[in-house]
Amino acid sequence: MSSTNSTNSANSTGSMPEIHVRDLHKSFGDNEVLRGIDLEVNSGEVVCVIGPSGSGKSTLLRCVNLLEEPTKGQVFVGGTEVTHPDVDIDAVRRRIGMVFQQFNLFPHLTVTENLTLPQRRVLGRDKDAAAKVAADNLERVGLSEKAAAYPASLSGGQQQRVAIARALAMGPEVMLFDEPTSALDPELVGDVLAVMRMLANEGMTMIVVTHEMTFAREVADRVVFMDGGVIVEDGTPAQVIGNPSHERTRHFLSRLLDPAMAEVEEETSDQVGKNR
Amino acid sequence: MSGTDTRVQPRKSGLTRRQKRALSRGIQYAVFLAAVVALGATADWDRLQNQFAQADLAERMFPDIITLALKNTVLYTLSGFAFGLALGMVIALMRLSPVGPYRWLAGIYIEFFRGLPALLIFIFVGVAVPLAFPGTEIPGGTYGKVALALGLVAAAYMAETIRAGIQAVPKGQMEAARSLGFSHTRAMVSIIIPQAFRIVIPPLTNELVLLFKDSSLVLFLGVTLEERELAKFGRDLASETANSTPILVAGLCYLLVTIPLGFVVRRLEAKAGEATK
């Protein structure tokens, strides 16, 4: 363990992947959810993780910023070993933005306060600087006019875009998305995906756990298919979605791409780029 | 038998279900009314009036019962509440701590102080503390002692209320805060506790009502004339005049505060219920 650690801290610039997951295991009691994951994500790369529920996708994501503590294995983010016992996890998490399925906005704060409070408490920014960053990021997600509103008065799609803006306001190097559109009504999915597409185009390093196959096909540089706690297939969208080489991948995709799914896909591609 | 063919069963009594319900309710009202009338007719109203409703005696209590006794009751209650809230918060956080001994200590504290009558705590604070630490004065004199005794009891109840409030904040809130780089403590202070407090305001107000009544136990601490609160004030005058009117008046003064507070609690609860949808 310690030998691999020293070799990796040697070259924190250059050829290192932005995120490097090595032989990651995670068990909840007797239930082994992750059974040895190896994954590299390069700077600026967008990786979509797909797979049936219970396959360990979300757990993998949550292990990257240590919301779940891995049972075994290592995770490196930007050259820092996140899983090292001595690492300041709060400092690491500042560099990793995370977006949740349930938005998790702070309901007792206004939209602007949701963005400014973390900047001020965690990054120590002064009031004016934090307000400026908040306003800029709300504009990026197209919600400047909701600055003074409380989360409860926003639609799900708007809440999720605020949650993305809140993560962006911290200036992260990496963004993790945990099924960001799964809790949304179908007609609200498009706006959120549009924001994520914009981020991808700007060169943000992203890992996206999603069921949105259109998004994965069009935006992802790589698609990873997980099942039973292992990565079954890892390749370009054309390979993994277009021409899967494993039976399990094919089975999963065929179930997903039934008529009901096709309808959702059409809607999302129609709405892309449109901001309300 | 009758359970098997309920479909087209003719009613034996010839009453519809609604009629039956009205009849049964009418009987309940009649019994209640009869009991009240019987009590009213058999009670000795003259003696009651003599003992509890002497107008001149009641008059003699004003304005002291308000300016002194009620004021002191309010002061005792608020100081006890403030101390209890601070201590209760600490105990609630200990109860939720990942550190085992903290949890056990908090658990023991809660069980201990919830299991004892408040009266015993007052006697303990009044007698045992000066004995155990001779020469030390509890700061604030009687006010300090009452705050300590009331606070010790209140903290046990409030700790459980606050713990429940903290646990009622969705888990995702802590996860979101941690993912933004908040430490556990910072997240608690900035994100979780403010939300928990909104949840526990109604039950804490309820606790305030209970404390308001428990402040009558100051009786057992031994207080100066100026430090008397409602119950002591009423009782002193009652034994002085060998008449219970002062007790009744003191009781009305309690209701003057507790009934509006109870109304506030119900309003807060209704509002909280609305907010959670």
Side-chain angles (χ1 to χ4, degrees):
Chain A
M1 259 244 227
S2 55
S3 64
T4 52
N5 188 22
S6 57
T7 52
N8 272 297
S9 53
N11 58 345
S12 56
T13 54
S15 59
M16 276 280 301
E18 184 70 31
I19 299 170
H20 188 173
V21 176
R22 187 183 292 169
D23 192 30
L24 186 69
H25 290 256
K26 173 67 185 176
S27 302
F28 295 102
D30 290 339
N31 183 18
E32 192 172 24
V33 179
L34 298 179
R35 305 161 180 261
I37 301 281
D38 291 280
L39 180 69
E40 291 185 11
V41 179
N42 291 316
S43 185
E45 209 173 13
V46 176
V47 173
C48 281
V49 182
I50 61 172
S53 57
S55 59
K57 312 180 297 280
S58 290
T59 307
L60 167 62
L61 209 61
R62 291 160 63 84
C63 280
V64 171
N65 70 352
L66 248 61
L67 280 183
E68 301 292 352
E69 196 151 344
T71 313
K72 185 178 158 226
Q74 292 166 297
V75 177
F76 298 86
V77 176
T80 311
E81 189 194 341
V82 178
T83 38
H84 195 277
D86 296 335
V87 82
D88 176 2
I89 187 58
D90 296 329
V92 172
R93 287 192 182 125
R94 275 165 224 162
R95 293 156 48 192
I96 309 172
M98 178 136 185
V99 174
F100 299 86
Q101 184 177 349
Q102 298 297 337
F103 329 135
N104 293 345
L105 291 178
F106 305 134
H108 61 303
L109 303 176
T110 66
V111 165
T112 295
E113 287 163 352
N114 262 277
L115 271 67
T116 53
L117 184 79
Q119 295 182 60
R120 297 182 62 193
R121 292 279 184 280
V122 175
L123 302 177
R125 283 190 188 141
D126 67 44
K127 204 175 169 184
D128 294 339
K132 170 89 172 66
V133 174
D136 289 350
N137 280 292
L138 280 181
E139 200 185 331
R140 280 172 89 184
V141 302
L143 285 172
S144 297
E145 80 275 20
K146 296 290 183 189
Y150 279 90
S153 69
L154 304 183
S155 74
Q158 290 171 333
Q159 288 192 48
Q160 192 61 296
R161 280 146 69 200
V162 172
I164 295 173
R166 179 176 69 179
L168 290 175
M170 306 299 281
E173 298 157 23
V174 173
M175 286 285 285
L176 309 176
F177 293 86
D178 188 4
E179 303 203 22
T181 57
S182 297
L184 298 177
D185 291 336
E187 74 269 23
L188 302 175
V189 168
D191 290 342
V192 172
L193 291 182
V195 169
M196 291 167 62
R197 202 176 282 256
M198 172 192 81
L199 278 181
N201 289 336
E202 288 171 7
M204 178 64 77
T205 310
M206 294 161 60
I207 303 183
V208 184
V209 172
T210 188
H211 293 293
E212 297 292 335
M213 287 306 135
T214 310
F215 179 84
R217 195 180 293 143
E218 292 175 7
V219 181
D221 298 302
R222 267 164 55 212
V223 172
V224 168
F225 173 70
M226 279 180 74
D227 194 11
V230 294
I231 291 179
V232 176
E233 213 159 330
D234 179 350
T236 66
Q239 287 166 349
V240 177
I241 301 177
N243 187 19
S245 51
H246 286 260
E247 178 52 37
R248 277 196 281 177
T249 319
R250 253 186 306 243
H251 181 68
F252 170 73
L253 288 170
S254 70
R255 265 191 316 171
L256 207 59
L257 293 173
D258 65 10
M261 193 60 214
E263 191 185 302
V264 174
E265 282 197 355
E266 230 166 57
E267 269 189 50
T268 58
S269 51
D270 283 351
Q271 288 191 12
V272 161
K274 187 181 92 183
N275 264 349
R276 247 196 302 182
Chain B
M1 262 291 276
S2 60
T4 54
D5 55 357
T6 46
R7 282 157 299 156
V8 283
Q9 185 190 35
R11 290 180 196 85
K12 275 177 259 163
S13 58
L15 290 174
T16 66
R17 225 184 309 160
R18 186 177 297 180
Q19 282 169 328
K20 270 189 202 159
R21 209 161 45 204
L23 182 67
S24 119
R25 200 163 290 165
I27 293 171
Q28 287 169 31
Y29 291 153
V31 168
F32 179 73
L33 199 69
V36 170
V37 167
L39 275 177
T42 51
D44 188 335
W45 286 103
D46 286 344
R47 277 174 59 190
L48 269 182
Q49 193 182 0
N50 256 331
Q51 187 64 20
F52 279 99
Q54 295 286 349
D56 56 323
L57 245 182
E59 246 183 82
R60 238 182 78 188
M61 298 176 76
F62 289 88
D64 277 3
I65 192 167
I66 303 293
T67 57
L68 182 88
L70 182 61
K71 185 200 81 183
N72 274 336
T73 295
V74 168
L75 278 179
Y76 290 143
T77 307
L78 290 183
S79 54
F81 187 77
F83 176 61
L85 187 62
L87 184 61
M89 182 61 122
V90 172
I91 292 167
L93 290 176
M94 283 172 69
R95 195 94 174 89
L96 293 169
S97 163
V99 185
Y102 283 174
R103 278 202 311 276
W104 305 328
L105 269 179
I108 290 168
Y109 180 96
I110 291 167
E111 292 309 325
F112 187 80
F113 280 97
R114 282 205 308 189
L116 283 178
L119 171 61
L120 293 191
I121 312 292
F122 271 81
I123 292 172
F124 176 81
V125 168
V127 177
V129 170
L131 267 182
F133 308 100
T136 50
E137 270 292 305
I138 294 173
T142 304
Y143 291 99
K145 274 190 218 168
V146 177
L148 181 64
L150 272 183
L152 284 174
V153 179
Y157 290 95
M158 291 205 247
E160 280 297 86
T161 305
I162 294 169
R163 178 194 57 76
I166 288 174
Q167 287 182 325
V169 176
K171 215 172 114 237
Q173 292 289 310
M174 177 56 95
E175 289 185 346
R178 294 308 302 271
S179 79
L180 287 161
F182 281 84
S183 68
H184 183 86
T185 312
R186 275 244 162 104
M188 266 289 173
V189 172
S190 305
I191 307 296
I192 308 297
I193 289 174
Q195 291 184 57
F197 256 92
R198 270 147 224 251
I199 300 170
V200 300
I201 280 174
L204 282 189
T205 313
N206 222 357
E207 183 63 29
L208 189 65
V209 174
L210 294 178
L211 278 187
F212 191 76
K213 295 185 293 175
D214 278 352
S215 67
S216 60
L217 295 168
V218 170
L219 210 60
F220 295 92
L221 278 180
V223 294
T224 66
L225 286 180
E226 286 70 42
E227 290 167 349
R228 289 180 301 174
E229 42 64 66
L230 283 173
K232 173 83 173 153
F233 186 88
R235 222 178 74 131
D236 281 359
L237 199 65
S239 48
E240 184 191 319
T241 58
N243 188 285
S244 301
T245 306
I247 306 265
L248 184 82
V249 177
L252 290 176
C253 285
Y254 278 105
L255 292 177
L256 203 68
V257 174
T258 51
I259 289 177
L261 264 182
F263 178 74
V264 169
V265 172
R266 280 192 300 279
R267 284 293 294 272
L268 287 172
E269 275 169 352
K271 236 177 108 182
E274 246 170 62
T276 50
K277 272 168 258 173

